[in-house]
Amino acid sequence: MKIPLVDLKRQYFSIKNEIDKAIKNVVNSGNFILGENVILFEKEFAKYCNVKYAISVGSGTDALFFALKALGIGKGDEVITVPNTFAATANAIAIAGATPVFVDIDPKTYLIDPEKIEEKISDRTKAILPVHLYGQMCDMEKIVKIAKEYGLKVIEDASQAHGAEFKHKKAGCFGDVGCFSFYPSKTLGAYGDGGIVVTNSKKIAETIEVLRNYGEKDEYKFEKIGWNSRLDEIQAAILRVKLKYLDKWIEEKREIAEKYNELLSSIKAVKTPTEAPHCKHTYYVYVIRCKNRDKLQKYLFSKGIETKIHYKIPIHLQKSFKYLKYKRGDFPITEKVSREILSLPMFPELREREIEKICFFIKIFYEKESN
Ligand SMILES: *Cc1c(COP(=O)(O)O)cnc(C)c1O
């Protein structure tokens, strides 16, 4: 039996009846775009995050892009973020016309190091874009404080942090805007692409509502040059079902993480994840740091265990961002971490005996290594 990194089929079968009914209802209604499911899901997700507005869009990338646009960020502006993230974070900044400026990460949490933000602020800096990576939140108190001091906007990339908390408040509600992805494997995932922007600002909400729908304000009255980037009714109906289970799934993932921590604690060559102070980690992925990472990954693969590296090549060393002229050594912590991290299988339906099997083989691997 193979153990995948994520198994979306197990989750589907656990809620199959509800999902099938939700999809069927949409198909029967003949209403596929910006209908009642989208309106209701936006309300329900806003309530879940404890914010006033949520505007759904076509993807997490679009959520970030629209957030930047709505805040008036574009050509000539700089946006501070991290090199240890998924490419989409920096892509959105660049596509909006602005320049991503990177800050190194904290070696324990792998999140932006707030102490290193101020030295990167210039006359052109317009925003800080912290990424709540792996399912846990950045220190939003420190980040918002710096932003206030320098008059900067804050855009949270919460694509990996649905339901994560900092000081008992949810991801997305600290910044001017919070952006989420509903890519299928995300903590809250659709059965296709999707994303959402949350905010307490009526003006930002209204701007994004117009931008996602061709720039149309009232029927056939176009106030801006907009895009077509919407969450469709089928995805919204699926997400409405899944949102009800989100907290339960997060709790199950937290229990799996605890089990991993316990079983791996005796292995010296492995460092289990650190939960940041005041944070509720939601374990979008369970990331260990380990010796002989690539060899371990190959070994686990040979035993039918799938793992991944989030992320192997930091953004500042990607070909796509060569024009920014960063070089190896510019972000030593990110670079070191990228050589040692490994994401183990993690999804709410992962079975106890599977966790035991994974940890057993990790143990065997290091026993062999030390001989
Ligand atoms: C998934 C992800 C995105 C992009 O979301 P898409 O829906 O795939 O466009 C952006 N940022 C981070 C950190 C992500 O993990």
Side-chain angles (χ1 to χ4, degrees), residues 260 263-272 286 288-291 296-297 299-300 303 305 307 342-345 354-369:
Y260 266 133
L263 294 176
L264 295 173
S265 64
S266 62
I267 308 171
K268 269 215 173 72
V270 170
K271 200 175 164 305
T272 55
Y286 181 89
I288 58 165
R289 264 170 94 178
C290 54
K291 288 208 172 112
L296 173 64
Q297 184 175 37
Y299 176 76
L300 291 175
K303 301 292 172 197
I305 298 162
T307 60
L342 189 67
S343 306
L344 303 181
E354 291 174 317
I355 306 167
E356 284 162 1
K357 181 176 161 183
I358 296 160
C359 296
F360 170 78
F361 281 120
I362 295 175
K363 201 171 238 167
I364 297 285
F365 172 80
Y366 285 111
E367 276 169 19
K368 278 197 205 150
E369 284 292 291

Side-chain angles (χ1 to χ4, degrees), residues 142-273:
K142 282 188 183 154
I143 292 166
V144 168
K145 186 163 172 271
I146 295 167
K148 279 221 175 90
E149 219 173 296
Y150 290 87
L152 308 175
K153 302 290 185 193
V154 175
I155 301 159
E156 292 173 66
D157 186 344
S159 293
Q160 303 189 1
H162 318 69
E165 291 176 9
F166 178 75
K167 297 209 165 168
H168 306 290
K169 282 165 75 183
K170 289 232 158 57
C173 77
F174 289 85
D176 295 275
V177 284
C179 302
F180 294 84
S181 161
F182 298 126
Y183 180 81
S185 66
K186 298 280 155 95
T187 305
L188 178 62
Y191 289 175
D193 277 313
I196 204 162
V197 182
V198 299
T199 181
N200 283 312
S201 155
K202 192 170 181 211
K203 187 164 160 267
I204 293 170
E206 283 176 353
T207 305
I208 294 175
E209 228 166 31
V210 167
L211 286 178
R212 73 167 173 186
N213 195 38
Y214 316 110
E216 188 178 68
K217 179 83 180 171
D218 298 307
E219 202 174 28
Y220 294 121
K221 282 197 174 156
F222 299 93
E223 105 176 344
K224 288 184 161 63
I225 298 173
W227 288 260
N228 170 2
S229 177
R230 301 167 302 214
L231 187 72
D232 69 66
E233 279 288 294
I234 291 181
Q235 300 307 336
I238 291 164
L239 288 165
R240 289 188 67 209
V241 172
K242 291 183 73 174
L243 183 58
K244 292 187 293 180
Y245 294 95
L246 181 57
D247 286 338
K248 175 178 163 273
W249 287 332
I250 289 171
E251 281 319 308
E252 285 165 355
K253 281 182 144 189
R254 287 180 56 79
E255 278 166 29
I256 291 167
E258 238 171 75
K259 183 86 196 167
Y260 266 133
N261 292 344
E262 183 193 317
L263 294 176
L264 295 173
S265 64
S266 62
I267 308 171
K268 269 215 173 72
V270 170
K271 200 175 164 305
T272 55

Side-chain angles (χ1 to χ4, degrees), residues 58-62 64 85-86 88-89 131 133 157 159-160 180-183 186 193-195 284 311:
S59 71
T61 305
D62 283 351
L64 290 164
T85 181
F86 183 56
T89 311
V131 183
L133 205 69
D157 186 344
S159 293
Q160 303 189 1
F180 294 84
S181 161
F182 298 126
Y183 180 81
K186 298 280 155 95
D193 277 313
Y284 164 61
Y311 295 94

Side-chain angles (χ1 to χ4, degrees), residues 5-20:
L5 192 79
V6 179
D7 186 345
L8 296 174
K9 283 175 296 185
R10 281 190 212 173
Q11 188 170 83
Y12 168 61
F13 284 113
S14 75
I15 51 171
K16 184 177 184 306
N17 287 345
E18 271 182 280
I19 293 280
D20 290 357

